[in-house]
Amino acid sequence: MGTIVVLAILLVIIGLIIRSMYKDKKAGKSLQCGVNCKNCSGHCAHMQSDRK
């Protein structure tokens, strides 16, 4: 019984993490973007100008 509860809790946590990553991706916040515009075709150009 305890194993099922722990598994259910882990699934909920993983689901929330995936949901958060999906929302960030839709909002333009990508984990793959390292603010290195020459490697991401200028996707981050607006972010670099905000940092100056």
Side-chain angles (χ1 to χ4, degrees), residues 31-47:
L31 291 176
Q32 288 90 17
C33 183
V35 190
N36 189 356
C37 293
K38 69 179 181 178
N39 291 330
C40 70
S41 304
H43 170 73
C44 305
H46 64 90
M47 293 176 73

Side-chain angles (χ1 to χ4, degrees), residues 1-50:
M1 180 69 181
T3 304
I4 295 172
V5 172
V6 170
L7 179 62
I9 291 171
L10 286 176
L11 288 174
V12 167
I13 291 171
I14 291 170
L16 291 172
I17 291 170
I18 291 172
R19 180 176 155 219
S20 172
M21 290 171 65
Y22 179 75
K23 283 185 172 185
D24 286 348
K25 179 100 172 144
K26 284 188 82 169
K29 302 175 191 172
S30 176
L31 291 176
Q32 288 90 17
C33 183
V35 190
N36 189 356
C37 293
K38 69 179 181 178
N39 291 330
C40 70
S41 304
H43 170 73
C44 305
H46 64 90
M47 293 176 73
Q48 274 189 336
S49 64
D50 290 343

